[in-house]
Amino acid sequence: LVVECLGDRRSVIREAALQTLFEVSPTGSSGVIAAVAELLAHGSVDVRDVAARALVYLASRGSNRVIDAVAHHLVHPDALVREATLQLLSEVAESGNPRATSALQCRHQHVRNPRAGADRSSR
């Protein structure tokens, strides 16, 4: 329920949910991380901001759980979602993190040839 409130249209509810999440969620909780990670694709930039702040809090530096949970947003059709994901990765991933590096390489491949994934899946 708290994670759902992070996506509320009212900022006061989002902020209260974020504060509650900080107080009650254990750092590294994979279920909470996955649910919050999906909010990075929310239509509201304010909700994406709250989700990013929550993920930074929930993750320990270099957390592969967060990296894995958000990597697919690197190829999201909305440039603002991709930007928020890149920013989050810069705050969570340690320099040289192999999972983050791999996710960024996949993004680079997608940018260079967006049909490559579709071509491979149709074989």
Side-chain angles (χ1 to χ4, degrees), residues 55-56 59-63 66-67 87-94:
L55 287 168
V56 169
S60 55
R61 185 85 172 142
S63 171
V66 170
I67 294 166
Q87 179 62 37
L88 174 65
L89 286 175
S90 75
E91 293 180 37
V92 173
E94 293 175 318

Side-chain angles (χ1 to χ4, degrees), residues 33-42 55 65-78 81-82 85-86 88-89 99-100 102-104 106-107 110:
I33 288 171
V36 173
E38 288 310 304
L39 291 174
L40 285 178
H42 194 279
L55 287 168
R65 286 185 179 163
V66 170
I67 294 166
D68 292 344
V70 304
H72 68 282
H73 290 306
L74 289 170
V75 294
H76 193 278
D78 185 333
V81 172
R82 294 190 306 268
T85 304
L86 285 169
L88 174 65
L89 286 175
R99 280 197 165 120
S102 176
L104 290 169
C106 288
R107 178 190 180 277
H110 181 80

Side-chain angles (χ1 to χ4, degrees), residues 5-6 8 10 16 20 34 46 50 59 62 65 68 72 77 81 86 89-91 97 101 105 122-123:
C5 290
L6 290 173
D8 196 278
R10 297 162 294 186
T20 301
D46 294 331
V50 167
R65 286 185 179 163
D68 292 344
H72 68 282
V81 172
L86 285 169
L89 286 175
S90 75
E91 293 180 37
N97 180 295
T101 301
Q105 287 172 339
S122 63
R123 290 182 190 163

